[in-house]
Amino acid sequence: MSEELWTALRLRCENCRACPLSAARKNLVLGTGSRTADLMFVGEAPGEQEDLEGIPFVGKAGQLLDRYLFAVGIPRESVYIANVLKCRPPHNRDPLPEEEDACIGYLREQVKLVDPKIIVCLGRISAMRLITPDFRITRDHGQFVRKGKYLMTAVYHPAALLRDPSKKEAMLLDMERIKAKLDALADSDFP
Ligand code: URA
């Protein structure tokens, strides 16, 4: 059943013309990873490499994300990774509010289908959309908030770490806390 829902979702995204970004994309970038993940990451929008391959976080920023996942002992294939936007904005500019509005329903469906325990926003844009519009990444990263059934947090976007390596220590601490929270939630499932 859920396989059919995923196929239907992909088809609707493939055919979506709700904003102009679909016209220029090479590939739709829907999401990747475990569809039964307890942990879901949400970035902002595909970049050049993601657009070429149709997979989120495969470029330089994605490779850095992989290193943090490895460092804290989370296999990449055990998580689900998606973006707020499914099509690449020109020259990697920030998503426009109307593009986010047009696309957010697809992310909402992905979240419902995966039904993770923890959602981690990668960077300010995703956090402002999913946690609160006044989210400030330097002030609020690493803090957990409950939104409905989901525990949510945000970390620096890996591209920001490439630009400013002084943030890397904070990123490692945040990722370690995410792993600890994940383990604690898994333990609490045990009868
Ligand atoms: N940056 C993002 O926010 N998402 C990607 O998929 C790649 C880079």
Side-chain angles (χ1 to χ4, degrees), residues 19-30 44-54 83-96 99 103:
C19 83
L21 294 183
S22 62
R25 75 166 182 230
K26 295 203 168 56
N27 283 292
L28 173 78
V29 181
L30 183 59
E44 60 184 70
E48 184 178 15
Q49 199 57 35
E50 289 76 23
D51 181 52
L52 286 173
E53 296 188 35
N83 283 304
V84 173
L85 297 193
K86 311 302 184 215
C87 299
R88 182 190 181 204
H91 314 294
N92 298 344
R93 65 152 166 73
D94 286 353
L96 301 175
E99 292 163 353
C103 217

